[in-house]
Coordinates of all heavy atoms in Angstrom, one line a residue:
M264 N 131.4 188.5 118.8 CA 130.8 187.3 119.3 C 130.6 186.2 118.2 O 130.1 186.6 117.2 CB 129.5 187.6 120.1 CG 128.8 186.5 120.7 SD 127.3 186.9 121.6 CE 128.1 187.8 122.9
L265 N 130.8 185.0 118.4 CA 130.6 183.9 117.5 C 129.2 183.4 117.7 O 128.6 183.6 118.7 CB 131.7 182.8 117.8 CG 133.1 183.2 117.6 CD1 134.0 182.1 118.0 CD2 133.4 183.6 116.1
F266 N 128.9 182.7 116.7 CA 127.6 182.0 116.7 C 127.6 181.0 117.8 O 128.6 180.2 117.9 CB 127.3 181.3 115.3 CG 126.1 180.5 115.3 CD1 124.9 181.0 115.0 CD2 126.0 179.1 115.6 CE1 123.7 180.3 115.1 CE2 125.0 178.4 115.6 CZ 123.8 179.0 115.3
R267 N 126.6 181.0 118.7 CA 126.5 180.0 119.7 C 125.1 179.3 119.7 O 124.1 180.1 119.8 CB 126.7 180.6 121.1 CG 128.2 181.1 121.3 CD 128.4 181.6 122.6 NE 127.3 182.5 123.1 CZ 127.5 183.5 123.9 NH1 128.6 183.8 124.4 NH2 126.5 184.2 124.3
S268 N 125.1 178.0 119.6 CA 123.8 177.4 119.4 C 122.9 177.6 120.7 O 121.7 177.6 120.5 CB 124.0 175.9 119.3 OG 124.6 175.3 120.3
A269 N 123.4 177.9 121.8 CA 122.5 178.1 123.0 C 121.8 179.4 123.0 O 120.6 179.5 123.4 CB 123.4 178.0 124.3
D270 N 122.4 180.5 122.5 CA 121.7 181.7 122.5 C 121.6 182.4 121.1 O 121.1 183.4 121.0 CB 122.3 182.7 123.5 CG 123.8 183.0 123.3 OD1 124.3 182.6 122.2 OD2 124.3 183.7 124.1
I271 N 122.3 181.7 120.1 CA 122.3 182.4 118.7 C 122.5 183.8 118.7 O 121.7 184.6 118.4 CB 120.9 182.0 118.0 CG1 120.6 180.5 118.2 CG2 121.0 182.4 116.6 CD1 119.3 180.0 117.5
A272 N 123.7 184.2 119.3 CA 124.0 185.6 119.2 C 125.0 185.9 118.1 O 125.9 185.2 117.8 CB 124.8 185.9 120.5
L273 N 124.6 187.0 117.3 CA 125.4 187.4 116.2 C 125.7 188.9 116.4 O 124.9 189.6 117.0 CB 124.7 187.2 114.8 CG 124.3 185.8 114.6 CD1 123.4 185.8 113.3 CD2 125.5 185.0 114.3
D274 N 126.8 189.4 115.9 CA 127.1 190.8 115.9 C 127.2 191.4 114.5 O 127.1 190.7 113.5 CB 128.4 191.1 116.7 CG 129.6 190.6 116.1 OD1 129.6 190.4 114.9 OD2 130.6 190.6 116.9
A275 N 127.3 192.7 114.5 CA 127.3 193.3 113.1 C 128.4 193.0 112.2 O 128.5 193.4 111.0 CB 127.2 194.9 113.4
H276 N 129.5 192.3 112.7 CA 130.6 191.9 111.9 C 130.6 190.5 111.5 O 131.5 189.9 111.1 CB 131.9 192.2 112.6 CG 132.0 193.6 113.1 ND1 132.3 194.7 112.2 CD2 131.9 194.2 114.3 CE1 132.2 195.8 112.9 NE2 132.1 195.6 114.1
T277 N 129.4 189.9 111.5 CA 129.3 188.5 111.3 C 129.0 188.2 109.8 O 128.3 189.0 109.2 CB 128.0 188.0 112.1 OG1 128.3 188.1 113.5 CG2 127.7 186.5 111.8
L278 N 129.5 187.2 109.3 CA 129.2 186.6 108.1 C 128.5 185.3 108.4 O 129.0 184.4 108.9 CB 130.5 186.2 107.2 CG 130.3 185.5 105.9 CD1 129.5 186.4 105.0 CD2 131.7 185.2 105.3
T279 N 127.3 185.3 107.8 CA 126.4 184.1 107.9 C 126.4 183.4 106.6 O 126.2 184.1 105.5 CB 125.0 184.5 108.4 OG1 125.2 185.1 109.7 CG2 124.1 183.2 108.6
V280 N 126.6 182.1 106.6 CA 126.6 181.4 105.3 C 125.4 180.3 105.3 O 125.4 179.5 106.2 CB 127.9 180.8 105.0 CG1 127.9 180.0 103.7 CG2 129.0 181.8 105.0
N281 N 124.6 180.4 104.3 CA 123.5 179.4 104.2 C 124.0 178.5 103.0 O 124.1 178.9 101.9 CB 122.2 180.0 103.8 CG 121.2 179.0 103.5 OD1 121.2 177.9 104.0 ND2 120.3 179.4 102.5
T282 N 124.2 177.2 103.3 CA 124.6 176.2 102.3 C 123.6 175.2 102.0 O 123.9 174.2 101.4 CB 126.0 175.5 102.7 OG1 125.7 174.9 103.9 CG2 127.0 176.5 102.9
T283 N 122.4 175.4 102.5 CA 121.3 174.5 102.3 C 120.7 174.6 100.9 O 120.8 175.7 100.4 CB 120.1 174.6 103.3 OG1 119.6 175.9 103.2 CG2 120.7 174.4 104.8
P284 N 120.2 173.5 100.4 CA 119.5 173.6 99.1 C 118.3 174.6 99.1 O 117.8 174.9 100.2 CB 119.0 172.2 98.8 CG 119.9 171.4 99.7 CD 120.2 172.1 100.8
A285 N 118.0 175.2 98.0 CA 116.9 176.1 97.9 C 115.6 175.6 98.6 O 115.2 174.5 98.5 CB 116.5 176.4 96.4
G286 N 115.1 176.5 99.5 CA 114.0 176.3 100.2 C 114.0 175.4 101.6 O 113.1 175.5 102.3
V287 N 115.1 174.7 101.7 CA 115.3 173.8 102.9 C 115.2 174.6 104.2 O 114.6 174.2 105.1 CB 116.6 173.0 102.7 CG1 116.8 172.2 104.1 CG2 116.4 172.0 101.6
A288 N 115.7 175.7 104.3 CA 115.8 176.5 105.5 C 114.8 177.5 105.7 O 114.7 178.1 106.8 CB 117.3 177.1 105.7
D289 N 113.9 177.6 104.8 CA 112.8 178.6 104.8 C 112.0 178.5 106.1 O 111.7 179.5 106.7 CB 111.9 178.5 103.6 CG 112.6 179.0 102.3 OD1 113.7 179.4 102.4 OD2 112.0 178.9 101.2
G290 N 111.7 177.3 106.4 CA 110.9 177.1 107.7 C 111.6 177.4 108.9 O 110.9 177.5 110.0
L291 N 112.8 177.8 108.9 CA 113.6 178.1 110.1 C 113.6 179.6 110.3 O 114.2 180.0 111.4 CB 115.1 177.5 110.0 CG 115.1 176.1 109.8 CD1 116.6 175.6 109.6 CD2 114.6 175.3 111.0
L292 N 113.1 180.5 109.5 CA 113.1 181.9 109.6 C 112.6 182.3 111.0 O 113.2 183.3 111.5 CB 112.3 182.5 108.5 CG 113.1 182.7 107.2 CD1 112.3 183.3 106.1 CD2 114.4 183.3 107.4
A293 N 111.6 181.7 111.5 CA 111.2 182.1 112.9 C 112.1 181.9 114.0 O 112.0 182.6 115.0 CB 109.9 181.3 113.2
H294 N 113.2 181.1 113.7 CA 114.2 180.9 114.7 C 115.5 181.6 114.5 O 116.4 181.5 115.3 CB 114.5 179.3 114.8 CG 113.3 178.5 115.0 ND1 112.7 178.4 116.2 CD2 112.6 177.6 114.1 CE1 111.7 177.6 116.2 NE2 111.6 177.1 114.9
F295 N 115.5 182.4 113.4 CA 116.7 183.2 113.1 C 116.8 184.4 114.1 O 115.8 184.9 114.5 CB 116.6 183.8 111.7 CG 117.1 182.9 110.6 CD1 116.8 181.5 110.6 CD2 117.9 183.4 109.6 CE1 117.2 180.6 109.6 CE2 118.3 182.6 108.5 CZ 118.0 181.2 108.5
P296 N 118.0 184.8 114.4 CA 118.1 186.0 115.1 C 117.8 187.2 114.2 O 117.7 186.9 113.0 CB 119.6 186.0 115.6 CG 120.2 185.1 114.6 CD 119.2 184.1 114.2
E297 N 117.8 188.3 114.7 CA 117.6 189.5 113.8 C 118.8 189.6 112.8 O 120.0 189.5 113.3 CB 117.6 190.8 114.7 CG 117.3 192.0 113.9 CD 115.8 192.1 113.3 OE1 115.0 191.4 113.9 OE2 115.7 192.7 112.3
P298 N 118.5 189.6 111.6 CA 119.6 189.6 110.7 C 120.6 190.8 110.8 O 120.1 191.9 111.1 CB 118.9 189.8 109.3 CG 117.5 189.2 109.5 CD 117.2 189.6 110.9
C299 N 121.9 190.5 110.8 CA 122.9 191.6 110.9 C 124.1 191.1 110.1 O 124.3 189.9 109.8 CB 123.2 191.8 112.4 SG 124.0 190.4 113.2
G300 N 124.9 192.0 109.7 CA 126.1 191.7 108.9 C 125.7 191.2 107.5 O 124.8 191.7 106.9
T301 N 126.5 190.3 106.9 CA 126.3 189.8 105.6 C 125.9 188.4 105.6 O 126.5 187.6 106.3 CB 127.7 190.1 104.9 OG1 128.0 191.5 104.9 CG2 127.6 189.6 103.4
L302 N 125.1 188.1 104.7 CA 124.6 186.7 104.5 C 125.1 186.3 103.1 O 125.0 187.0 102.1 CB 123.1 186.7 104.4 CG 122.5 185.3 103.9 CD1 122.7 184.1 104.9 CD2 121.0 185.5 103.6
L303 N 125.9 185.2 103.0 CA 126.3 184.6 101.8 C 125.3 183.4 101.6 O 125.4 182.4 102.4 CB 127.7 184.1 101.7 CG 128.1 183.2 100.5 CD1 127.8 184.0 99.2 CD2 129.5 182.8 100.6
D304 N 124.3 183.6 100.8 CA 123.4 182.4 100.5 C 123.8 181.8 99.2 O 123.7 182.3 98.1 CB 122.0 183.1 100.4 CG 120.9 182.0 100.4 OD1 121.2 180.9 100.1 OD2 119.8 182.4 100.6
V305 N 124.3 180.6 99.4 CA 125.0 179.9 98.2 C 124.0 179.5 97.1 O 124.4 179.1 96.0 CB 126.0 178.8 98.6 CG1 127.1 179.2 99.5 CG2 125.2 177.7 99.2
V306 N 122.6 179.6 97.4 CA 121.7 179.3 96.5 C 121.8 180.3 95.4 O 121.8 181.5 95.5 CB 120.3 179.3 97.1 CG1 119.3 179.2 96.0 CG2 120.2 178.2 98.1
Y307 N 121.7 179.9 94.1 CA 121.8 180.9 93.0 C 120.5 180.9 92.2 O 120.3 181.7 91.3 CB 123.0 180.8 92.1 CG 123.3 179.5 91.6 CD1 122.7 179.0 90.3 CD2 124.0 178.5 92.2 CE1 123.0 177.9 89.8 CE2 124.3 177.3 91.7 CZ 123.8 176.9 90.5 OH 124.0 175.7 90.0
H308 N 119.7 180.0 92.4 CA 118.4 179.9 91.7 C 117.4 179.1 92.5 O 117.6 178.0 92.9 CB 118.5 179.2 90.3 CG 117.3 179.2 89.5 ND1 116.8 180.4 88.9 CD2 116.4 178.3 89.3 CE1 115.7 180.1 88.3 NE2 115.3 178.9 88.5
P309 N 116.2 179.6 92.8 CA 115.8 181.0 92.5 C 116.4 182.0 93.4 O 116.8 181.8 94.5 CB 114.3 180.9 92.8 CG 114.2 180.0 93.9 CD 115.2 178.9 93.7
W310 N 116.6 183.3 92.8 CA 117.1 184.4 93.6 C 116.2 185.5 93.5 O 115.8 185.9 92.4 CB 118.6 184.8 93.1 CG 119.1 185.8 94.0 CD1 119.1 187.2 93.7 CD2 119.7 185.7 95.3 NE1 119.7 187.8 94.7 CE2 120.1 187.0 95.6 CE3 120.0 184.6 96.1 CZ2 120.6 187.2 96.9 CZ3 120.5 184.9 97.3 CH2 120.9 186.1 97.7
P311 N 115.9 186.2 94.5 CA 116.5 186.1 95.9 C 115.7 185.0 96.7 O 114.5 184.7 96.3 CB 116.3 187.4 96.6 CG 115.1 188.0 95.9 CD 115.2 187.6 94.5
T312 N 116.3 184.3 97.5 CA 115.6 183.3 98.4 C 114.9 183.9 99.4 O 115.0 185.2 99.6 CB 116.7 182.4 99.1 OG1 117.5 183.2 99.9 CG2 117.6 181.6 97.9
L313 N 114.0 183.2 100.0 CA 113.2 183.8 101.1 C 114.2 184.3 102.2 O 113.9 185.4 102.9 CB 112.2 182.8 101.7 CG 111.3 183.1 102.8 CD1 110.3 184.3 102.3 CD2 110.5 182.0 103.3
I314 N 115.2 183.5 102.5 CA 116.1 184.0 103.5 C 116.8 185.3 103.2 O 116.9 186.2 104.0 CB 117.1 182.8 103.9 CG1 116.4 181.6 104.6 CG2 118.3 183.3 104.7 CD1 117.3 180.4 104.6
A315 N 117.3 185.4 101.9 CA 117.9 186.6 101.4 C 116.9 187.8 101.5 O 117.3 188.9 101.9 CB 118.4 186.5 100.0
R316 N 115.7 187.6 101.1 CA 114.7 188.7 101.2 C 114.5 189.2 102.6 O 114.5 190.4 102.9 CB 113.4 188.3 100.5 CG 113.4 188.3 99.0 CD 112.0 188.1 98.4 NE 111.2 187.1 98.9 CZ 111.1 185.9 98.5 NH1 111.8 185.6 97.4 NH2 110.3 185.0 99.0
H317 N 114.4 188.2 103.5 CA 114.3 188.4 104.9 C 115.4 189.3 105.4 O 115.3 190.2 106.1 CB 114.1 187.2 105.7 CG 114.1 187.2 107.2 ND1 113.1 187.8 107.8 CD2 115.0 186.9 108.2 CE1 113.3 187.8 109.2 NE2 114.6 187.3 109.4
W318 N 116.7 188.8 105.0 CA 117.9 189.5 105.5 C 117.9 190.9 105.0 O 118.2 191.8 105.8 CB 119.1 188.7 104.9 CG 120.2 188.8 105.8 CD1 121.3 189.7 105.6 CD2 120.6 188.0 106.9 NE1 122.3 189.4 106.6 CE2 121.9 188.4 107.4 CE3 120.0 186.9 107.6 CZ2 122.5 187.8 108.5 CZ3 120.7 186.3 108.6 CH2 121.9 186.7 109.1
Q319 N 117.6 191.1 103.7 CA 117.7 192.5 103.2 C 116.6 193.3 103.8 O 116.9 194.5 103.9 CB 117.5 192.3 101.6 CG 118.8 191.8 101.0 CD 118.6 191.5 99.5 OE1 117.4 191.1 99.1 NE2 119.6 191.6 98.7
S320 N 115.4 192.9 104.0 CA 114.3 193.7 104.5 C 114.7 194.1 105.9 O 114.1 195.2 106.4 CB 113.0 192.9 104.5 OG 113.1 191.9 105.5
A321 N 115.6 193.4 106.7 CA 116.0 193.9 108.0 C 117.2 194.8 107.9 O 117.8 195.1 109.0 CB 116.2 192.6 108.8
G322 N 117.7 195.1 106.7 CA 118.7 196.1 106.5 C 120.0 195.3 106.5 O 121.1 196.0 106.3
G323 N 120.2 194.0 106.4 CA 121.4 193.3 106.1 C 121.8 193.2 104.6 O 121.0 193.6 103.8
T324 N 122.9 192.8 104.4 CA 123.4 192.5 102.9 C 123.3 191.1 102.6 O 123.9 190.3 103.4 CB 124.9 193.0 102.9 OG1 125.0 194.4 103.3 CG2 125.4 192.8 101.5
A325 N 122.8 190.8 101.5 CA 122.7 189.4 101.1 C 123.4 189.3 99.8 O 123.2 190.0 98.9 CB 121.3 188.9 100.9
V326 N 124.4 188.3 99.8 CA 125.2 188.1 98.6 C 124.7 186.8 97.9 O 124.6 185.8 98.6 CB 126.7 188.0 98.9 CG1 127.6 187.6 97.7 CG2 127.2 189.2 99.7
P327 N 124.4 186.8 96.6 CA 123.9 185.6 96.0 C 125.0 184.5 95.7 O 126.1 184.9 95.4 CB 123.2 186.2 94.7 CG 124.0 187.4 94.4 CD 124.4 187.9 95.8
G328 N 124.6 183.4 95.6 CA 125.5 182.2 95.4 C 126.1 182.3 94.0 O 127.2 181.8 93.7
H329 N 125.4 183.0 92.9 CA 125.9 183.0 91.6 C 127.3 183.8 91.6 O 128.2 183.5 90.8 CB 125.0 183.4 90.6 CG 124.6 184.8 90.7 ND1 123.6 185.4 91.4 CD2 125.3 185.9 90.1 CE1 123.5 186.7 91.2 NE2 124.5 187.1 90.5
L330 N 127.5 184.7 92.6 CA 128.7 185.4 92.6 C 129.8 184.5 93.1 O 131.0 184.6 92.6 CB 128.6 186.7 93.5 CG 127.7 187.7 92.9 CD1 127.7 188.9 93.9 CD2 128.2 188.2 91.5
M331 N 129.5 183.7 94.1 CA 130.5 182.7 94.5 C 130.9 181.7 93.4 O 132.1 181.4 93.1 CB 130.1 182.0 95.7 CG 131.0 180.9 96.2 SD 130.4 179.9 97.6 CE 129.2 178.9 96.7
L332 N 129.8 181.3 92.7 CA 130.1 180.3 91.5 C 131.0 181.1 90.5 O 131.9 180.5 89.9 CB 128.7 180.0 90.9 CG 128.7 179.0 89.7 CD1 129.1 177.6 90.2 CD2 127.3 178.9 89.2
L333 N 130.6 182.3 90.1 CA 131.4 183.1 89.1 C 132.9 183.1 89.5 O 133.8 182.8 88.7 CB 130.9 184.5 89.0 CG 131.7 185.4 88.2 CD1 131.7 185.0 86.8 CD2 131.2 186.9 88.4
H334 N 133.2 183.5 90.7 CA 134.6 183.6 91.1 C 135.3 182.4 91.3 O 136.5 182.2 91.1 CB 134.7 184.5 92.4 CG 134.3 185.9 92.0 ND1 135.2 186.8 91.4 CD2 133.2 186.6 92.1 CE1 134.7 187.9 91.2 NE2 133.4 187.9 91.6
Q335 N 134.6 181.3 91.7 CA 135.2 180.0 91.6 C 135.6 179.5 90.2 O 136.7 179.0 90.1 CB 134.2 178.8 92.2 CG 134.1 179.0 93.7 CD 133.0 177.9 94.2 OE1 132.0 177.6 93.5 NE2 133.1 177.5 95.5
A336 N 134.6 179.7 89.3 CA 134.9 179.4 88.0 C 136.1 180.2 87.4 O 136.9 179.7 86.6 CB 133.7 179.6 87.1
A337 N 136.2 181.4 87.7 CA 137.3 182.3 87.2 C 138.6 181.8 87.7 O 139.6 181.7 86.9 CB 137.0 183.8 87.7
K338 N 138.6 181.4 88.9 CA 139.9 180.9 89.5 C 140.3 179.6 88.8 O 141.5 179.4 88.5 CB 139.8 180.7 91.1 CG 141.1 180.4 91.7 CD 142.1 181.5 91.5 CE 143.4 181.2 92.3 NZ 144.4 182.3 91.9
Q339 N 139.2 178.8 88.6 CA 139.6 177.5 87.9 C 140.2 177.7 86.4 O 141.1 177.1 86.0 CB 138.3 176.7 87.8 CG 137.9 176.1 89.1 CD 136.6 175.4 89.1 OE1 135.7 175.6 88.2 NE2 136.4 174.4 89.9
V340 N 139.5 178.7 85.8 CA 140.1 179.1 84.4 C 141.5 179.5 84.6 O 142.4 179.1 83.7 CB 139.3 180.2 83.7 CG1 140.0 180.8 82.6 CG2 137.8 179.6 83.4
E341 N 141.8 180.3 85.5 CA 143.2 180.8 85.7 C 144.2 179.7 86.0 O 145.3 179.6 85.5 CB 143.3 181.9 86.7 CG 142.6 183.2 86.3 CD 142.4 184.2 87.3 OE1 142.9 184.1 88.5 OE2 141.9 185.3 87.0
L342 N 143.7 178.8 87.0 CA 144.6 177.7 87.3 C 144.8 176.7 86.2 O 145.9 176.1 86.0 CB 144.0 176.9 88.4 CG 144.1 177.6 89.8 CD1 143.1 176.9 90.8 CD2 145.5 177.8 90.2
M343 N 143.8 176.5 85.3 CA 143.9 175.5 84.2 C 144.6 176.1 83.0 O 145.2 175.4 82.2 CB 142.6 175.0 83.8 CG 141.9 174.1 84.8 SD 140.5 173.3 84.0 CE 139.2 173.7 85.3
T344 N 144.5 177.4 82.8 CA 145.0 178.0 81.5 C 146.3 178.8 81.7 O 147.0 179.1 80.8 CB 144.0 178.8 80.8 OG1 143.7 180.0 81.6 CG2 142.8 178.0 80.5
G345 N 146.5 179.3 83.0 CA 147.6 180.2 83.2 C 147.3 181.7 82.8 O 148.1 182.5 82.9
E346 N 146.0 181.9 82.3 CA 145.7 183.2 81.8 C 144.7 183.8 82.8 O 144.0 183.1 83.5 CB 144.9 183.0 80.4 CG 145.7 182.3 79.3 CD 146.9 183.2 78.9 OE1 146.8 184.4 78.9 OE2 147.9 182.6 78.5
I347 N 144.5 185.2 82.7 CA 143.6 185.9 83.5 C 142.2 185.6 83.0 O 142.0 185.7 81.8 CB 143.9 187.4 83.5 CG1 145.3 187.6 84.2 CG2 142.7 188.1 84.1 CD1 145.8 189.1 84.0
A348 N 141.3 185.3 83.8 CA 139.9 184.9 83.5 C 139.1 186.2 83.0 O 139.3 187.2 83.6 CB 139.2 184.3 84.6
P349 N 138.4 186.0 81.9 CA 137.5 187.1 81.5 C 136.2 187.2 82.4 O 135.2 186.8 82.0 CB 137.2 186.8 80.1 CG 137.2 185.3 80.1 CD 138.2 184.8 81.1
V350 N 136.4 187.8 83.6 CA 135.4 187.7 84.6 C 134.2 188.4 84.1 O 133.0 187.9 84.3 CB 135.9 188.3 85.9 CG1 134.7 188.4 87.0 CG2 137.1 187.5 86.5
E351 N 134.3 189.6 83.5 CA 133.1 190.3 83.0 C 132.3 189.5 82.0 O 131.1 189.5 82.0 CB 133.4 191.7 82.6 CG 133.7 192.6 83.8 CD 132.7 192.6 84.9 OE1 131.5 192.7 84.7 OE2 133.2 192.3 86.1
A352 N 133.0 188.9 81.0 CA 132.4 188.1 80.0 C 131.7 186.9 80.7 O 130.6 186.4 80.2 CB 133.3 187.6 79.0
M353 N 132.4 186.3 81.6 CA 131.8 185.1 82.4 C 130.5 185.6 83.1 O 129.6 184.9 83.2 CB 132.9 184.5 83.3 CG 134.1 183.9 82.6 SD 135.4 183.4 83.6 CE 134.7 182.1 84.6
R354 N 130.6 186.8 83.7 CA 129.3 187.3 84.5 C 128.3 187.5 83.6 O 127.2 187.1 83.9 CB 129.8 188.6 85.2 CG 128.7 189.2 86.0 CD 129.0 190.6 86.5 NE 130.3 190.9 86.9 CZ 130.7 190.6 88.3 NH1 129.8 190.2 89.1 NH2 132.0 190.7 88.6
R355 N 128.4 188.1 82.4 CA 127.4 188.2 81.4 C 126.7 186.9 81.0 O 125.5 186.7 80.9 CB 127.8 189.0 80.2 CG 128.0 190.5 80.6 CD 128.3 191.3 79.2 NE 129.5 190.9 78.5 CZ 130.7 191.2 78.7 NH1 131.0 192.2 79.7 NH2 131.7 190.8 77.9
A356 N 127.6 185.9 80.7 CA 127.1 184.6 80.3 C 126.4 183.9 81.5 O 125.3 183.3 81.2 CB 128.3 183.8 79.8
L357 N 126.9 184.1 82.7 CA 126.1 183.4 83.8 C 124.8 184.1 84.0 O 123.8 183.4 84.2 CB 127.0 183.6 85.1 CG 126.4 183.2 86.4 CD1 126.0 181.7 86.3 CD2 127.3 183.5 87.5
L358 N 124.7 185.5 84.0 CA 123.4 186.1 84.2 C 122.5 185.7 83.1 O 121.3 185.5 83.3 CB 123.7 187.6 84.3 CG 124.4 188.1 85.6 CD1 124.6 189.6 85.5 CD2 123.7 187.7 86.8
E359 N 123.0 185.7 81.9 CA 122.1 185.3 80.8 C 121.6 183.8 80.9 O 120.4 183.5 80.8 CB 122.8 185.4 79.5 CG 122.0 185.0 78.3 CD 122.7 185.2 76.9 OE1 123.6 186.0 76.8 OE2 122.4 184.4 76.0
A360 N 122.4 182.9 81.4 CA 122.0 181.6 81.6 C 121.0 181.6 82.8 O 120.0 180.8 82.6 CB 123.2 180.7 81.9
L361 N 121.2 182.3 83.8 CA 120.1 182.3 85.0 C 118.9 182.8 84.4 O 117.8 182.4 84.9 CB 120.8 183.0 86.1 CG 121.9 182.4 86.8 CD1 122.4 183.4 87.8 CD2 121.5 181.1 87.4
Q362 N 118.9 183.9 83.6 CA 117.6 184.5 83.2 C 116.9 183.6 82.2 O 115.7 183.6 82.1 CB 117.9 185.8 82.4 CG 118.4 186.9 83.3 CD 118.8 188.2 82.5 OE1 119.0 188.2 81.3 NE2 119.1 189.3 83.3
N363 N 117.6 182.7 81.5 CA 117.0 181.8 80.6 C 116.5 180.5 81.2 O 116.0 179.6 80.5 CB 117.9 181.5 79.4 CG 118.1 182.7 78.5 OD1 117.2 183.6 78.4 ND2 119.3 182.8 78.0
R364 N 116.6 180.3 82.5 CA 116.3 179.2 83.2 C 114.8 179.1 83.2 O 114.0 179.9 83.3 CB 116.7 179.0 84.6 CG 118.2 178.7 84.7 CD 118.5 178.5 86.0 NE 118.5 177.0 86.2 CZ 118.8 176.4 87.3 NH1 119.4 177.0 88.2 NH2 118.8 175.1 87.3

């Protein structure tokens, strides 16, 4: 079943994507259906977001935005250089940068 605004029905095979800036959708949690499936919350700082914590506490999977950012950057490196991106080195640098914020 697809997302329908009239009844907000989701099934266990749903991917829900939050693209709002950090904190913007927090006030909408009371209107969320029971979390199911996977949430891609494109926010990468602060992590976890309130929505991600809510999703995980209900047994859902929440994927942080920094992973999307990492893989977008890796693809850009490959497209610009023709070389395979050093994803693990990039991951370490990204996590270090996020920790130092």
Side-chain angles (χ1 to χ4, degrees):
M264 179 176 292
L265 298 175
F266 176 85
R267 294 187 313 212
S268 60
D270 60 3
I271 309 180
L273 300 172
D274 68 19
H276 303 291
T277 298
L278 172 65
T279 302
V280 181
N281 174 32
T282 62
T283 62
V287 170
D289 291 354
L291 300 175
L292 280 177
H294 303 288
F295 272 42
E297 186 66 27
C299 62
T301 301
L302 168 71
L303 170 57
D304 193 340
V305 301
V306 174
Y307 54 90
H308 185 76
W310 184 261
T312 63
L313 183 61
I314 293 171
R316 286 195 308 268
H317 173 72
W318 208 267
Q319 290 170 323
S320 71
T324 301
V326 178
H329 72 266
L330 293 179
M331 182 183 71
L332 182 68
L333 169 66
H334 289 282
Q335 285 176 332
K338 189 62 177 175
Q339 288 174 332
V340 166
E341 291 174 2
L342 289 170
M343 288 192 232
T344 66
E346 302 291 328
I347 295 173
V350 176
E351 288 311 310
M353 294 169 69
R354 181 187 316 273
R355 287 190 301 274
L357 174 60
L358 292 175
E359 182 180 327
L361 289 173
Q362 289 174 350
N363 291 331
R364 283 189 94 171

